[in-house]
Amino acid sequence: MTDLETAAHTGLIPAPLSHDLGDAGARSRTVRLGAQTALAAAPGTEATARWLRATLGAAFALPLPPGSAEAPDALALALDPALPTEGYRLDADARWGVRLTGGGPAGVFWGAQTLRQLLGPAAFRRAPLDPERAPGLPEQTIEDAPRFAWRGLMLDVARHFLPKEGVLRYLDLMAAHKLNVLHFHLTDDQGWRIEILRYPELTATGAWRERSKLGHRDSPLWDPRPHGGYYTQDDIREIVAYAAERQITVVPEIDIPGHSQAAIAAYPELGNTDVIDTTSLKVWDTWGVNPNVLAPTDNTLRFYENVLEEVLGLFPSRFVHLGGDECPKDQWRASPTAQARIAALSLDDEDGLQSWFIRHFDRWLTDRGRRLIGWDEILEGGLAEGATVSSWRGYAGGIAAGKAGHDVVMCPEQQVYLDHRQHASPDEPVPIGYVRTLEDVYRFEPVPPDLTDEQAERVLGTQANTWTEGMDSQQRLDYQVFPRLAALAEVAWSRLPAPQARDYQDFTRRMIHHYARLDALGVSYRPPGGPHPWQKRPGILGRPFDGAPPNV
């Protein structure tokens, strides 16, 4: 039986590197986890042991007491530095139980995710369906390791706030798919979502808007309810700690110098006061590209340095995302202050002014042992020396950055923006952008052929981006994210053939198993046959684009 055939047989997603179910005799022997099964956790595997007791212990009423790895009925966790850091080996044998060995703590944890899948959909529930039945799996050996180090999901909590419990839930869903980076989009024109003790108005004023546009910005409809919320610093600490237990890094995004009206509404001196009356600005209640951007002043630089000092104290991530996208230059062109800054710095134009802005914070972060990452507009006017690029407008920004020796995270909107619609049917809720089906995402290739092998090493990985203008509830978010995130997870983890050679039919067969897991987790995914009646949003205007997306 080939690796793909065995993956299809067990429904593993993402597909492992190597999967050996042995001969028919081995497949007929079942390894059971029961009341006497000991959990033997070697040093360095404690986080996975806690996770196993919390999940499998709850799902199957298993005590999983500490014990010896040499016991005849054991679930043994160990480290082997000969394996890749995130790699693992899973051995299941009826004579002694299950052994999970990882190259590092992350590898052990990803192996535990595979074990959970092998135990069936009941392993994804919070209480046992049949407490008397011991879960089991066939004898087998799996060896696995990821293709990319960066396997991510971007969650936009600025447009529609996702309460803390919803964020923790999404961390669990990411972990179940072996995704390891949460790109946390915390600030935008429509809301500021992180408590900054030095600047309390950022949340007292900036976290709340008076109303919200329903659907696309051209829609005539409004939700008249005030909307908002924010995470306290203790909430952030909890989210970061919860993620770390699941081998997930949380990369914060504080968007500058555009997408900043919520901050300007809270502190009007941050805006271009010599062009407009910034005291009249409120937190923005609609969607799109906003003309109100930060003023390129020393006061603005000091303000955001102080903000970032607190951000760095909360997020241990090596990377800090500073946005840098969609910054209209009209106010800077009209601003004597901005023009004086351009002249004083001998810059060519306003693009150079944005580059100066980003370079300043690149140096500031570097001095503190961190790395700046930003959307591909940070290439305009010259890229800061240590910056990493999130290539969103297509492949071009990532190709340019890779050829220039910069690291890249590939997330082109034409391929992996999960706010884009999943079908051309008029039943799709709030249809935005191009049709991006499950198959389209599965055939996405993060490394473009334009890069040499050496340049391709600059592609750290990929992520799916979820912008929430049209997602005002957890159910709407689930619908847009799933099942396509499962396809992205396999693209990011597994070593797949070239896009057109990928066996999508095999993937859909494995998804039959995976839908049952998502059902057990309570995920409101889009069914293969189209939305349920309660998932539709009739009368809510979207902005669909016809045809295939451009390959840019």
Side-chain angles (χ1 to χ4, degrees):
M1 185 176 287
T2 67
D3 294 335
L4 283 177
E5 287 172 338
T6 53
H9 178 74
T10 56
L12 292 178
I13 289 179
L17 191 61
S18 171
H19 192 172
D20 182 8
L21 276 168
D23 57 25
R27 288 197 296 276
S28 67
R29 295 191 291 270
T30 299
V31 182
R32 294 287 178 191
L33 303 180
Q36 304 307 312
T37 301
L39 179 53
T45 69
E46 295 86 356
T48 298
R50 286 191 292 272
W51 182 86
L52 284 166
R53 289 193 175 99
T55 53
L56 298 189
F60 297 117
L62 294 175
L64 295 176
S68 168
E70 306 305 319
D73 182 12
L75 173 50
L77 313 179
L79 299 179
D80 180 356
L83 294 172
T85 302
E86 288 194 274
Y88 67 90
R89 184 174 58 249
L90 184 155
D91 294 300
D93 192 300
R95 293 169 295 178
W96 36 258
V98 178
R99 291 175 185 162
L100 284 177
T101 308
V108 178
F109 185 73
W110 304 132
Q113 304 309 308
T114 297
L115 173 63
R116 190 187 193 189
Q117 290 196 17
L118 292 170
L119 292 173
F124 292 80
R125 296 192 177 274
R126 297 185 183 183
L129 302 181
D130 184 358
E132 303 303 317
R133 181 172 180 175
L137 66 158
E139 289 191 338
Q140 59 195 286
T141 298
I142 296 174
E143 294 190 9
D144 202 7
R147 179 186 179 192
F148 291 111
W150 187 298
R151 308 180 303 279
L153 172 67
M154 191 286 297
L155 272 183
D156 166 22
V157 296
R159 273 49 177 271
H160 279 104
F161 180 63
L162 184 65
K164 181 194 70 177
E165 288 302 318
V167 177
L168 300 180
R169 174 177 177 266
Y170 258 81
L171 288 168
D172 281 330
L173 292 172
M174 289 175 63
H177 293 82
K178 300 185 175 72
L179 297 172
N180 67 345
V181 177
L182 173 64
H183 174 172
F184 209 18
H185 184 80
L186 288 163
T187 73
D188 216 295
D189 300 302
Q190 296 85 0
W192 184 285
R193 305 296 180 215
I194 177 173
E195 179 186 36
I196 301 298
L197 299 178
R198 184 163 181 162
Y199 300 118
E201 285 302 313
L202 285 172
T203 47
T205 295
W208 309 94
R209 60 178 182 262
E210 294 178 352
R211 61 178 185 172
S212 302
K213 177 68 73 171
L214 274 177
H216 186 258
R217 60 181 175 269
D218 292 336
S219 167
L221 302 178
W222 294 90
D223 183 342
R225 297 172 298 174
H227 178 85
Y230 65 92
Y231 309 105
T232 67
Q233 293 203 354
D234 280 347
D235 290 338
I236 294 293
R237 292 184 183 98
E238 180 182 356
I239 288 167
V240 169
Y242 195 86
E245 282 275 301
R246 287 150 183 79
Q247 304 300 324
I248 296 171
T249 299
V250 184
V251 176
E253 181 180 356
I254 306 296
D255 212 338
I256 58 173
H259 287 289
S260 298
Q261 184 162 317
I264 298 169
Y267 292 93
E269 66 271 20
L270 296 174
N272 294 283
T273 58
D274 55 350
V275 177
I276 63 165
D277 176 13
T278 56
T279 63
S280 68
L281 295 178
K282 298 180 179 180
V283 178
W284 212 25
D285 56 11
T286 189
W287 324 121
V289 179
N290 189 304
N292 298 305
V293 303
L294 297 175
T297 64
D298 290 342
N299 175 67
T300 300
L301 297 181
R302 298 295 88 77
F303 183 96
Y304 276 89
E305 287 172 358
N306 292 333
V307 167
L308 289 171
E309 285 282 4
E310 295 192 31
V311 169
L312 297 192
L314 296 169
F315 294 92
S317 164
R318 184 184 179 196
F319 289 94
V320 176
H321 206 294
L322 292 187
D325 63 315
E326 296 180 330
C327 179
K329 310 300 192 296
D330 295 341
Q331 290 184 358
W332 289 352
R333 293 187 185 98
S335 165
T337 300
Q339 292 303 309
R341 177 71 84 177
I342 290 173
L345 295 171
S346 299
L347 301 174
D348 291 335
D349 54 19
E350 290 76 20
D351 284 343
L353 188 59
Q354 177 168 340
S355 178
W356 164 81
F357 207 106
I358 296 297
R359 286 173 185 270
H360 173 87
F361 286 102
D362 178 67
R363 291 190 297 269
W364 190 90
L365 288 169
T366 299
D367 289 345
R368 288 154 182 79
R370 306 296 183 98
R371 289 186 63 185
L372 183 148
I373 182 170
W375 303 111
D376 56 48
E377 284 96 331
I378 67 174
L379 289 160
E380 298 166 2
L383 186 58
E385 183 177 347
T388 296
V389 170
S390 298
S391 189
W392 77 272
R393 290 180 293 181
Y395 284 104
I399 292 169
K403 288 184 175 180
H406 290 267
D407 289 340
V408 179
V409 175
M410 281 293 188
C411 49
E413 67 167 327
Q414 302 88 347
Q415 311 295 331
V416 290
Y417 267 36
L418 300 186
D419 47 310
H420 283 212
R421 58 193 175 133
Q422 301 182 66
H423 196 278
S425 167
D427 288 336
E428 288 301 303
V430 196
I432 299 295
Y434 296 100
V435 172
R436 293 288 84 192
T437 65
L438 182 65
E439 182 173 1
D440 291 328
V441 176
Y442 190 67
R443 297 195 188 280
F444 164 61
E445 172 50 50
V447 179
D450 310 64
L451 299 180
T452 66
D453 290 345
E454 183 178 356
Q455 293 164 350
E457 293 296 318
R458 290 290 186 176
V459 179
L460 302 179
T462 184
Q463 66 182 36
N465 292 343
T466 306
W467 301 104
T468 61
E469 289 93 336
M471 298 173 226
D472 53 6
S473 68
Q474 178 176 287
Q475 289 75 22
R476 278 288 295 125
L477 181 63
D478 281 3
Y479 181 92
Q480 293 299 130
V481 171
F482 290 99
R484 292 182 294 182
L485 191 64
L488 186 279
E490 183 147 311
V491 168
W493 178 279
S494 306
R495 286 164 175 77
L496 298 175
Q500 294 310 309
R502 293 175 189 173
D503 190 346
Y504 179 67
Q505 294 306 312
D506 166 73
F507 178 75
T508 59
R509 285 191 292 270
R510 286 183 283 126
M511 279 300 299
I512 295 171
H513 298 263
H514 202 63
Y515 285 124
R517 298 176 191 125
L518 296 177
D519 286 333
L521 287 166
V523 176
S524 299
Y525 59 85
R526 181 190 189 275
H532 294 298
W534 56 88
Q535 293 174 319
K536 300 175 185 179
R537 294 293 293 272
I540 305 297
L541 183 69
R543 191 190 182 195
F545 299 147
D546 293 329
N551 187 15
V552 295

